[in-house]
Amino acid sequence: MPLITTKPMFDLAYGGGFAVGAFNINNMELAQAIIDACAKESSPVILQISRGARKYANMRYLKHIIDAAVEEHPDLPIAIHLDHGDTVELVKTCVNDGFTSVMIDGSHHPYDENVKVTAEAVKVAHASGVVVEAELGMLGGIEEDVVGMDAHEYEKNVQKFLTDPQQAKDFAARTGCDSLAVAIGTSHGAYKFKQEAKLAFDRIEQIMKTCPGLPLVMHGSSSVPQEFIDLVNKYGGNMPNARGVPEEQISKAVRSYGVCKVNIDTDLRLAMTAKIREVFATKPAEFDPRNYLGPAREAITSMVRRKLQVLNSAGKAQQVNQHWEKLGKPVPSFYKSGRAA
Ligand code: G3H
Ligand code: 13P
Ligand code: ZN
């Protein structure tokens, strides 16, 4: 099957007690590891590409890596998604590059400007059968290319930054977005909180009520498992005070509160870094990249398999495929024109 949009995935995830994992790719090893994990767990997956990833890897290379993944795993439902797109121009470029889903992140703009840029992005993407994720509210944490806020400042004022349920209703109606990234207490990066994380479950519930049928997305959902931080630090790293969202809270947001898409990048970076550091520290004579990138790739695969259990998406691939067929096998026009279908 060709790359598909997230629609058949979210149709089932909504009310189905599972979420689709959206994992960031920047190179071949990350893509292979994620796809390998999803094939082993029979899970639908969203591969997401940030502006930083486009710059780092060159979209042509990423495109061919993804095509190879589709050829290797023809039965795996895979969507390719722009993560944190900032302009309508970039959305257009990604639609032409064969993305099946795009995010337009206007959350740092004043509300009316967010509505305007999102509605424009929706118009452009929908014209080609591509779906759109938008964002409303403000997340904490800082990553290269993602607008965010210092963890401490964020925590002190978190209530003020959470997504407003009534505004979400107005926003969804005025923009026509297909899914909505919401601020409900998660945060980007490895240093999310000074205190224990506490997701605003009541806020998810309220947004679900004001926006029935709209799939909700949780960014900043890495758990920053302590055992990986310990490994990084043991083998020469320096990551004091790293902290994430406990997996039980992610699982609860998905299984009991209906979140449909969960974004995870930091935990994959941690798994990769911990393993490479371990090889360098324990085998100082090693200099063949295959002998540290190979184990790193395996560590990422294990991390993704663990996440697919947390998200309860393991074993859902076939259902998604069947639903996609029932919908009439919809694909963006890029694929209808003959390429990759
Ligand atoms: O939320 C952002 C993702 O982790 C991507 O990060 O912009 O450094 O590629 P990046
Ligand atoms: P983490 O930094 O928690 O992995 O979040 C990634 C993300 O939200 C990508 O959009
Ligand atoms: Zn994000």
Side-chain angles (χ1 to χ4, degrees), residues 24 48 83-84 143 187-189 192 219-222 263-266:
N24 291 70
Q48 55 186 14
D83 191 27
H84 293 283
E143 281 187 72
S187 178
H188 286 110
K192 299 186 190 299
H219 281 242
S221 298
S222 280
N263 283 18
I264 297 171
D265 185 5
T266 296

Side-chain angles (χ1 to χ4, degrees), residues 23-89:
F23 304 103
N24 291 70
I25 60 166
N26 290 278
N27 66 11
M28 181 186 78
E29 280 77 10
L30 277 158
Q32 288 178 330
I34 296 163
I35 291 295
D36 184 29
C38 293
K40 286 191 167 111
E41 297 292 339
S42 208
S43 170
V45 66
I46 299 167
L47 294 178
Q48 55 186 14
I49 296 174
S50 68
R51 276 178 287 145
R54 289 181 65 98
K55 232 187 296 168
Y56 171 77
N58 179 338
M59 199 49 225
R60 274 183 203 223
Y61 286 85
L62 291 177
K63 218 151 95 173
H64 287 288
I65 289 169
I66 292 161
D67 283 348
V70 173
E71 273 177 42
E72 281 285 313
H73 299 283
D75 296 328
L76 203 62
I78 307 172
I80 168 147
H81 174 76
L82 166 66
D83 191 27
H84 293 283
D86 60 340
T87 62
V88 176
E89 246 351 273

Side-chain angles (χ1 to χ4, degrees), residues 81-209:
H81 174 76
L82 166 66
D83 191 27
H84 293 283
D86 60 340
T87 62
V88 176
E89 246 351 273
L90 179 58
V91 164
K92 273 186 204 158
T93 304
C94 289
V95 167
N96 289 329
D97 281 342
F99 283 56
T100 63
S101 172
V102 290
M103 175 187 194
I104 179 81
D105 179 1
S107 60
H108 47 286
H109 292 308
Y111 180 66
D112 282 333
E113 182 61 23
N114 189 3
V115 169
K116 185 166 169 264
V117 70
T118 303
E120 269 177 51
V122 167
K123 203 166 141 199
V124 166
H126 281 188
S128 296
V130 170
V131 293
V132 179
E133 172 186 324
E135 179 165 328
L136 188 64
M138 176 83 110
L139 264 74
I142 297 173
E143 281 187 72
E144 196 195 345
D145 277 343
V146 175
V147 179
M149 190 178 292
D150 169 74
H152 200 46
E153 274 307 297
Y154 188 75
E155 254 169 306
K156 274 197 306 197
N157 300 295
V158 65
Q159 284 301 322
K160 173 163 113 197
F161 300 120
L162 299 182
T163 305
D164 179 293
Q166 286 305 331
Q167 201 174 52
K169 180 180 177 178
D170 179 72
F171 184 82
R174 285 168 67 188
T175 62
C177 63
D178 302 282
S179 60
L180 186 65
V182 287
I184 45 99
T186 60
S187 178
H188 286 110
Y191 304 91
K192 299 186 190 299
F193 315 106
K194 299 270 185 231
Q195 318 280 328
E196 223 18 70
K198 252 205 201 141
L199 297 193
F201 292 108
D202 53 338
R203 192 58 69 105
I204 307 178
E205 211 165 24
Q206 290 157 9
I207 304 168
M208 293 283 283
K209 276 200 186 116

